[in-house]
Amino acid sequence: MNDCLILVDLQNDYFPGGTMELVGTAKAAANAQLLLHKFRRGNLPIIHIQHISARPGATFFIPETHGAEINKIVAPQAGEKVVVKNYPNSFRETSLLEILKDKKIKNLIICGAMSHMCIDATTRAAFDLGFNCVVAEDACATRDLLFKGKTIKASEVHASFMAALSAPYAKIDATEEIIRGLT
């Protein structure tokens, strides 16, 4: 099987009490945990992506803080790769592509945060690099955005980005559907 689970930025700062709390992070993480358990039981490849802010003045994912740590609900276990990134695209200036090529991975199951930023950038890059992508839409979270004085609700931001990714970049599916497809 050539499937790999990519968990993007499910870090404490995005959870309640974090410095950049997202809407629905706990529910998204619970679904990501279901995928994680399925991949662990099947001894399938798992890669955790951890964003560490390198930008001056950053307010979250600050190096060596609790907020930058991967949340315990999806914390890596021994043998699971952790790729540290500094940009929204998980492939930019990281070892992710090399790891996937070494494992001869063709299919990526992507989940995490934020839908409109790192999930979008990583999925588009993966597609451009020739991977088949599936985004677990209910295992992703985002936040309200402000544009030209108008607040766009997180649910609308998420839906818009999932719709945009759905052709041709990725198959957008619910966690349970993805799990059924892996059996």
Side-chain angles (χ1 to χ4, degrees):
M1 189 171 267
N2 291 341
D3 296 325
C4 181
L5 178 61
I6 309 287
L7 298 111
V8 181
D9 300 351
L10 287 170
Q11 296 163 244
N12 291 327
D13 275 339
Y14 281 160
F15 284 76
T19 59
M20 177 60 82
E21 183 178 341
L22 303 182
V23 174
T25 308
K27 182 176 186 246
N31 285 323
Q33 184 185 50
L34 293 173
L35 289 165
L36 186 57
H37 288 324
K38 176 69 175 177
F39 272 72
R40 285 175 176 161
R41 283 191 306 274
N43 200 28
L44 298 170
I46 297 162
I47 300 174
H48 301 263
I49 307 294
Q50 181 182 29
H51 192 108
I52 299 296
S53 292
R55 167 177 68 80
T59 58
F60 62 102
F61 297 160
I62 307 299
E64 299 177 31
T65 63
H66 174 73
E69 293 173 9
I70 295 172
N71 188 269
K72 65 184 177 188
I73 194 169
V74 291
Q77 291 183 351
E80 294 175 0
K81 297 269 187 206
V82 177
V83 172
V84 174
K85 68 177 178 72
N86 306 115
Y87 299 97
N89 173 355
S90 299
F91 291 91
R92 183 175 172 186
E93 298 179 25
T94 71
S95 59
L96 181 57
L97 181 59
E98 179 183 307
I99 293 166
L100 294 170
K101 283 183 173 182
D102 286 349
K103 293 180 178 287
K104 298 181 179 8
I105 300 296
K106 299 286 183 205
N107 307 310
L108 305 181
I109 313 304
I110 301 168
C111 64
M114 293 186 284
S115 306
H116 75 280
M117 187 64 67
C118 298
I119 297 301
D120 181 67
T122 297
T123 302
R124 288 172 187 266
F127 174 84
D128 287 346
L129 291 166
F131 293 96
N132 302 311
C133 301
V134 176
V135 175
E137 59 87 14
D138 59 351
C140 295
T142 194
R143 63 186 179 97
D144 293 352
L145 295 179
L146 188 64
F147 182 71
K148 293 188 176 186
K150 179 182 177 197
T151 298
I152 299 114
K153 293 291 184 189
S155 61
E156 295 170 10
V157 172
H158 178 74
S160 295
F161 275 82
M162 293 301 108
L165 286 174
S166 70
Y169 296 101
K171 180 179 181 194
I172 308 299
D173 228 337
T175 296
E176 288 300 325
E177 289 298 314
I178 294 168
I179 289 171
R180 271 196 287 282
L182 291 169
T183 55

